[in-house]
Amino acid sequence: MSCSPAWELVRGIEPLSLCDWPGRICAVLFFGGCDLRCPHCHNAALAWRPEGQPALAAASVRRFAASHAKWLDGIVLTGGEPTLAPGLADFAAELAAFGPRVRIDSNGMRPDVLAAVLVRHPDAHFAVDVKAPFAKYGPATGGAVTPEAARERLLAVFALAARHPGRFAFRTTLVPELAEADVREIREALPPGCSHTVQPCNTVTRIGEERRHAQADSKTRRVSGNVVHPAHRPGDPQSPQGQRHPGPAPGHATGPQGRMQA
């Protein structure tokens, strides 16, 4: 029986994604909470007010991992900021035991947690957001990180990446405050051989705090909240059980892009 407390903290599952981890068919598990307050956060409600979006039952998350593992090439842990979840290293290893590779999306502000994951699960992968050049980390994170702290923490992540070739990818969202010179400065700081993707920042109208929406292509379809895809709800017509026994599944409301709201 898995014992990491992180099983109790998953707040949403996207069971099938073809673009969150390029080249892999993967599922995405969402955690709530974040230690940054980036003005262009793409999922502010989940990141800043996770208490408004209840966690899924741990048993349901385990059932999902066990039943979907044979169809998946990977599982992505994202948020919010997943490194805030206690027991993340054990959780990653426990998920990987079902078969798929595990990748963690992180803002890089807790390099000790990333290092602990690698000790517990050496085959883990990471996608780390580099928000800005070190000097601009204050405004880029809503005042949550000083330039000095950003430098210290990200240099520790870069050192991890240098020691674990092929395990780290880096990303920067081109928010309005960044110029091409900033992107060049970020790339010059990265360890040699690491990939760096620059993502467009799309501004859309959102409810509440998500009026500014810095969305990567892989995130444009996401909605905030405790989102659970129907494919792993017992009795849903899209689930394996529902395919065998077709019929309506009462109590489900269809959300944007046909996704189901919990």
Side-chain angles (χ1 to χ4, degrees), residues 41-200:
C41 180
H42 73 269
N43 211 0
L46 182 63
W48 303 346
R49 295 183 179 176
E51 68 279 0
Q53 302 170 57
L56 305 179
S60 176
V61 179
R62 290 191 185 98
R63 282 196 300 271
F64 170 83
S67 63
H68 286 66
K70 62 184 177 181
W71 297 309
L72 297 173
D73 299 320
I75 298 178
V76 175
L77 310 183
T78 190
E81 175 53 39
T83 62
L84 298 177
L88 185 69
D90 287 338
F91 182 71
E94 290 158 9
L95 272 179
F98 289 104
R101 297 280 181 92
V102 174
R103 193 192 79 185
I104 296 170
D105 291 354
S106 176
N107 59 31
M109 294 295 101
R110 304 192 75 193
D112 56 324
V113 176
L114 304 186
V117 171
L118 282 166
V119 169
R120 182 72 174 82
H121 178 43
D123 199 32
H125 290 248
F126 304 89
V128 177
D129 292 317
V130 183
K131 306 291 185 180
F134 301 137
K136 291 189 174 183
Y137 249 77
T141 61
V145 181
T146 65
E148 294 76 18
R151 178 185 295 274
E152 177 185 359
R153 296 169 192 177
L154 286 172
L155 287 180
V157 174
F158 298 164
L160 273 177
R163 294 197 299 272
H164 298 272
R167 299 295 183 208
F168 285 77
F170 296 94
R171 308 179 297 195
T172 298
T173 299
L174 194 59
V175 299
E177 293 80 2
L178 293 184
E180 289 299 328
D182 296 317
V183 174
R184 289 195 296 271
E185 185 174 346
I186 290 168
R187 284 182 169 157
E188 289 169 359
L190 296 176
C194 287
S195 67
H196 180 233
T197 302
V198 178
Q199 305 172 155

